[in-house]
Amino acid sequence: MLEQQAVSEAATPGAAPLFLCLHGHFYQPPREDPFTGAIPAEAEAAPFANFNEKITAECYRPNAEAGNFELISYDMGPTLASWLADHYPGVHQTIIEADRQHRARYGSGNALAHPYHHVILPLANSRDKYTQIVWGLEDFRQRYGREAAGMWLPETAVDMETLDLLARCGITFTVLAPWQAATPVDVTEPYLVRLPANRSMTVFFYQAPLSGAISFDGNVTVNADHFASAILPSHLVPEKLERGEPQLIVIATDGELYGHHWIWRDKFLTRLVRYSAEAAGFQLSTLERYLRLHPPRREVTLRTPTSWSCFHGVDRWACGCACTEGRSDWKGALRQALNRLAARGDQLFERFAAEVLSDPWAARNGYLALRNGWRSSESFWEEFARPVGFGGRAALAEKRRRALLLLEAEYYLLCSFTSCAFFFEDLDRIEPRNALAFARRAISLFWQALGVDLQRDFLRDLRAARSWRRSLSGAELYLRLPRVRADLLPPLPAPQELVPDSKGEDVA
């Protein structure tokens, strides 16, 4: 019944088959100190205690109270959603309820899922990609009470393996930038990407000039009525207008633009989705609803790996590129240090967790539900435990305790690759320091579980990453992290191991 209603709306005689979808990508990285769970004071956010508080006041709450989430397409990163649920449950619930109201009206939701951490998936190994995707889908299922149909990829970074994993997990569509297509595309319609074993993925390409203008040009959003009546129509395809074919304009931006990065931009959004767009002849639609009405008619191949905020593929997060000022070679060095730490940690996890887990990696995929209290400890062990052998209850309990520490260590290893650490121009910023803090938490957990020192090699690797502004190495920044109890970390190496030589290079 709902589907017939939606179809009849699109097919009303005399109605222009023109659709507008505004997608907001709402996300904040984890800011909590991984040892205390508290967010340290962030002076730049004053008078608020931290940026999560500031952005909630300027963006999330006003957009929720205005009902904007009911009329747009959106994704809400799990780390942001978890923080909102804990600190502003009313705002969180209003955002979740927007998806339910959209489903009640149209038979399809308007929220997209998101990998659990905001990592550049093409730079992750296959196992980590899969964990991030299934954790994101589990978070979505628990939060929205339904299965996700679409998933927003962090930085829209994509490769073919990522798309295939999405398809294997039941995802049917995602959103990309037009320059991620291998050939020119008509961005007013979705395309099909062919995948192995007869799988496929629908891709919506957002309207880049409009999305960029809303993101960076304050003059464009002064008047929502003018935007809808004069600017939107100029981005339609004239030949399709003549033929009466449906057209969809997708505008995709960071959600924080609406009130935080740009003051009053939330008011522009409210006017646009409540009045201006439909007054100008555009039907508001979300991606899942449009796909039901107008499945893709054409196929496309993609350029991979690519993203929406780096014109060098994914170099911005891999090795550095001209997308950021100054020297960016620190990015490759930091990533190599984190990769090597993760490889060492993964080997330990696989070896020792296997003592009590029949498949450690399957257990890792199922760990988020246990960690977040969505399933009981009994059900977790019933699904993933190895058959109990000899050795007594005390020995089994100790091995299970150790396995849980190792699973938590894996959580923080994954967290340390959050893309913000590599996005900006210098190593000596809060985002890379947070990545180091998450890595240090993983090191601590491996130390507590196994008594194995992963810190020494990590510090050695971090010496190659250096701030070009302050000439500090990653090792020095690691050593400046807030102090924790001495027994929670391995002993530090001798100070002389981290002293730079006369050429500015660290000596072993």
Side-chain angles (χ1 to χ4, degrees):
M1 185 66 181
L2 288 169
E3 184 173 354
Q4 292 175 348
Q5 174 188 346
V7 172
S8 65
E9 288 177 8
T12 302
L18 305 178
F19 297 84
L20 173 66
C21 175
L22 288 105
H23 182 85
H25 165 50
F26 294 88
Y27 163 73
Q28 290 301 309
R31 288 188 162 92
E32 294 83 359
D33 181 310
F35 284 92
T36 67
I39 299 180
E42 296 175 340
E44 298 89 344
F48 299 93
N50 55 66
F51 275 102
N52 281 10
E53 298 277 353
K54 178 178 175 66
I55 300 170
T56 299
E58 296 173 346
C59 176
Y60 306 136
R61 175 184 282 155
N63 280 289
E65 292 176 349
N68 290 345
F69 284 94
E70 299 169 18
L71 297 174
I72 66 172
S73 169
Y74 71 94
D75 70 275
M76 182 168 54
T79 52
L80 167 63
S82 297
W83 183 87
L84 279 175
D86 290 341
H87 295 85
Y88 291 91
V91 174
H92 172 267
Q93 189 55 39
T94 299
I95 295 172
I96 299 300
E97 185 61 28
D99 179 78
R100 295 186 181 135
Q101 291 181 8
H102 195 275
R103 274 187 289 155
R105 181 175 181 184
Y106 298 110
S108 60
N110 62 335
L112 275 66
H114 186 284
Y116 195 79
H117 296 111
H118 199 277
V119 302
I120 305 302
L121 291 180
L123 295 176
N125 63 45
S126 303
R127 197 167 51 206
D128 290 354
K129 283 177 185 173
Y130 185 68
T131 297
Q132 292 286 6
I133 290 168
V134 297
W135 280 7
L137 293 177
E138 177 69 14
D139 182 272
F140 187 94
R141 188 179 305 113
Q142 294 292 335
R143 214 169 289 283
Y144 291 91
R146 68 177 179 93
E147 298 296 330
M151 177 170 274
W152 178 269
L153 298 174
E155 302 288 347
T156 75
V158 70
D159 61 2
M160 297 308 293
E161 181 183 54
T162 296
L163 283 189
D164 193 48
L165 287 172
L166 293 185
R168 289 164 59 185
C169 290
I171 294 298
T172 59
F173 69 89
T174 191
V175 183
L176 298 179
W179 51 81
Q180 294 180 263
T183 55
V185 291
D186 174 1
V187 297
T188 66
E189 62 180 90
Y191 285 77
L192 198 69
V193 177
R194 293 293 179 186
L195 299 169
N198 292 321
R199 289 185 289 271
S200 63
M201 180 65 56
T202 296
V203 172
F204 291 90
F205 293 99
Y206 65 82
Q207 177 62 254
L210 279 176
S211 301
I214 283 186
S215 298
F216 305 112
D217 185 354
N219 296 321
V220 172
T221 56
V222 170
N223 187 310
D225 294 350
H226 174 77
F227 180 86
S229 62
I231 298 178
L232 281 180
S234 68
H235 293 273
L236 296 168
V237 179
E239 294 79 9
K240 295 175 79 170
L241 283 174
E242 293 176 3
R243 295 192 296 266
E245 296 179 10
Q247 297 190 60
L248 170 69
I249 291 180
V250 178
I251 297 175
T253 65
D254 286 335
E256 288 75 17
L257 288 166
Y258 301 107
H260 170 59
H261 294 306
W262 288 89
I263 192 172
W264 307 122
R265 189 66 59 83
D266 55 310
K267 308 298 185 186
F268 164 84
L269 180 62
T270 301
R271 176 72 178 181
L272 182 62
V273 298
R274 291 283 171 186
Y275 173 78
S276 305
E278 292 192 351
F282 288 88
Q283 297 183 52
L284 288 173
S285 181
T286 52
L287 299 174
E288 186 176 345
R289 177 179 170 229
Y290 188 87
L291 189 56
R292 275 194 11 252
L293 300 176
H294 304 288
R297 303 177 302 170
R298 294 193 273 182
E299 297 181 14
V300 68
T301 56
L302 301 178
R303 293 173 51 242
T304 60
T306 50
S307 65
W308 77 340
S309 52
C310 177
F311 288 101
H312 311 90
V314 293
D315 284 358
R316 183 172 192 152
W317 305 272
C319 56
C321 63
C323 287
T324 51
E325 64 175 303
R327 291 178 52 190
S328 58
D329 53 350
W330 62 268
K331 296 183 179 184
L334 175 60
R335 183 166 290 279
Q336 182 179 33
L338 290 169
N339 279 336
R340 294 183 66 178
L341 172 64
R344 298 179 189 115
D346 287 351
Q347 289 177 355
L348 293 171
F349 169 72
E350 186 172 57
R351 175 184 172 188
F352 289 99
E355 293 178 343
V356 291
L357 295 171
S358 57
D359 183 340
W361 301 111
R364 187 181 75 166
N365 293 334
Y367 174 63
L368 185 74
L370 175 65
R371 187 180 195 273
N372 288 357
W374 299 330
R375 70 181 305 174
S376 67
S377 176
E378 292 76 14
S379 69
F380 177 84
W381 289 112
E382 182 179 349
E383 180 175 355
F384 297 112
R386 292 175 64 91
V388 177
F390 298 101
R393 290 186 177 181
L396 177 61
E398 173 57 26
K399 287 181 178 179
R400 287 190 172 184
R401 184 194 71 83
R402 185 164 69 179
L404 291 174
L405 289 174
L406 295 174
L407 284 163
E408 186 73 353
E410 285 289 316
Y411 175 91
Y412 279 107
L413 285 178
L414 292 169
C415 189
S416 70
F417 287 95
T418 299
S419 69
C420 313
F422 307 91
F423 183 84
F424 297 100
E425 78 287 350
D426 193 46
L427 177 67
D428 188 19
R429 289 180 54 104
I430 188 171
E431 299 89 0
R433 291 198 296 272
N434 282 344
L436 296 179
F438 299 138
R440 186 175 68 155
R441 178 61 173 150
I443 288 169
S444 170
L445 289 160
F446 281 114
W447 176 249
Q448 293 173 66
L450 305 172
V452 175
D453 181 0
L454 297 180
Q455 183 171 251
R456 180 178 296 271
D457 286 341
F458 187 53
L459 283 168
R460 185 178 295 114
D461 291 338
L462 282 175
R463 292 177 305 181
R466 184 172 295 280
S467 164
W468 58 273
R469 284 182 167 163
R470 297 189 60 197
S471 195
L472 291 170
S473 73
E476 290 170 293
L477 291 174
Y478 179 97
L479 294 174
R480 295 184 181 193
L481 292 172
R483 290 188 176 184
V484 298
R485 276 199 344 251
D487 63 309
L488 294 180
L489 287 167
L492 288 172
Q496 60 266 25
E497 294 188 39
L498 301 174
V499 176
D501 66 13
S502 59
K503 296 181 180 180
E505 299 295 331
D506 291 321
V507 294

